[in-house]
Every structure is written in C-alpha cells, then in structure tokens.
Amino acid sequence: MKKKLALACTECGSRNYTKEVGDKVRTERLEIKKYCRYCKQHTLHRETK
C-alpha cells in the first residue's frame, strides 16, 4: 500500500505538492527541489507530517 505525503516549501511554508511513496521505512524526511508558485522560484521542499 502506498502512503501519501505533503511537501512544503522551506521558504514560505506553503504545502504545494503531494507524493505517493512505498511502505519501506525511512529515517530521514524526503527533500526535493521543486518550483514554488508563491515564491516564483525553485526552492527546497521537505516532507511534512
């Protein structure tokens, strides 16, 4: 079963993206550089709880 998680921008804090991940156990939060439409630039997005 896949789990949905939200990705939040580190600059403005808005939750712009969702992603489905597998059930394997991860110790660190997912970090992806993506485009934020509010900041109008590519910023680092981190997994939120």
Side-chain angles (χ1 to χ4, degrees):
M1 178 170 239
K2 294 198 175 199
K3 176 181 162 186
K4 270 192 175 177
L5 56 90
L7 297 174
C9 177
T10 56
E11 300 292 321
C12 65
S14 63
R15 294 181 183 183
N16 302 325
Y17 295 97
T18 58
K19 187 162 178 72
E20 286 188 2
V21 293
D23 283 340
K24 72 177 186 179
V25 178
R26 291 180 290 122
T27 57
E28 297 179 6
R29 289 189 180 181
L30 183 65
E31 294 182 345
I32 302 173
K33 197 166 190 178
K34 296 188 82 62
Y35 182 78
C36 179
R37 62 182 174 169
Y38 302 106
C39 298
K40 295 185 172 74
Q41 61 184 350
H42 284 83
T43 59
L44 189 66
H45 284 69
R46 285 197 183 122
E47 174 186 348
T48 60
K49 288 191 174 184

